[in-house]
Amino acid sequence: MVKEYTYSPHVDFYIDMIDREHSYDMGSFHTHHKYELYYEVEGARRYFIEDSAYIVNAGNVILIGENQIHKTASLGDTASSRIVMNFSREYLDKIMDIFPEVDFFSFLSEEHNHLLSNITVKQQNHIQGLLQQLLALQEETSPESDALRKMLLATLLLELKDLCRQQDRKSVV
């Protein structure tokens, strides 16, 4: 029997990086009332989303919409490193008010966008750089750091949306 639970931290933005020396399997499938972005820094993992499974290699991005059931599992007993970020739609309310014609979120829930794997090394470095900046800001509490965090997240989402479009076009050809 598979246990399921809902994970919903009381913050609108959360980012974390974990380095693991050995295998790790999540015990249960879970959901979030927020979006999730998962970036594999090093190693490889298996990622289960809804009824699909994906192999996630270093430099790949996983995109998960609100309330989509998911979990990760190891691929052997190897080291891995990842950055995971959860955020709510409300977190970017003010930015969405400034740009009401821009859709920052719907691409995150589309099944064909769950795994972004056709990313060049230059694009991977750029994505990882934005995530590192967000990690560095996580303990900052000034209004300026909050504004920078939101602008970096909005920038990252728009760039990932474009990468999804590019990957979709390549798969059609």
Side-chain angles (χ1 to χ4, degrees), residues 12-13 91-92 94-95 134 137-154:
D12 285 329
F13 179 84
Y91 187 68
L92 292 181
K94 290 180 182 173
I95 290 177
L134 287 162
L137 287 168
Q138 71 180 335
E139 301 299 323
E140 300 292 323
T141 58
S142 70
E144 292 82 4
S145 61
D146 188 47
L148 183 54
R149 205 173 11 255
K150 288 175 181 178
M151 288 187 285
L152 286 168
L153 176 57

Side-chain angles (χ1 to χ4, degrees), residues 15-160:
I15 187 167
D16 184 43
M17 181 171 181
I18 292 184
D19 300 315
R20 290 196 169 92
E21 293 182 24
H22 302 286
S23 66
Y24 167 75
D25 293 332
M26 294 184 95
S28 301
F29 284 89
H30 65 281
T31 62
H32 306 274
H33 299 300
K34 295 173 177 37
Y35 297 93
E36 180 167 310
L37 185 149
Y38 178 101
Y39 180 80
E40 189 71 20
V41 177
E42 178 186 337
R45 307 262 310 146
R46 186 173 319 231
Y47 217 109
F48 301 94
I49 305 169
E50 301 289 332
D51 59 355
S52 299
Y54 305 90
I55 302 298
V56 184
N57 294 302
N60 291 174
V61 177
I62 289 285
L63 304 171
I64 299 172
E66 294 174 300
N67 300 310
Q68 289 185 314
I69 191 163
H70 60 281
K71 80 174 215 166
T72 65
S74 297
L75 283 174
D77 190 24
T78 58
S80 66
S81 178
R82 60 89 170 136
I83 298 171
V84 69
M85 182 170 53
N86 298 104
F87 51 93
S88 68
R89 177 179 295 271
E90 293 75 25
Y91 187 68
L92 292 181
D93 271 350
K94 290 180 182 173
I95 290 177
M96 291 187 312
D97 288 347
I98 296 168
F99 303 103
E101 70 284 357
V102 177
D103 178 3
F104 288 91
F105 295 100
S106 66
F107 77 100
L108 295 166
S109 301
E110 295 173 11
E111 184 177 343
H112 63 278
N113 288 339
H114 284 316
L115 175 62
L116 262 173
S117 58
N118 293 335
I119 307 172
T120 67
V121 172
K122 183 178 179 181
Q123 292 165 331
Q124 290 172 14
N125 290 335
H126 182 65
I127 291 166
Q128 190 170 343
L130 290 170
L131 291 168
Q132 292 291 350
Q133 289 179 63
L134 287 162
L135 279 164
L137 287 168
Q138 71 180 335
E139 301 299 323
E140 300 292 323
T141 58
S142 70
E144 292 82 4
S145 61
D146 188 47
L148 183 54
R149 205 173 11 255
K150 288 175 181 178
M151 288 187 285
L152 286 168
L153 176 57
T155 299
L156 178 60
L157 290 175
L158 292 177
E159 292 183 15
L160 291 171

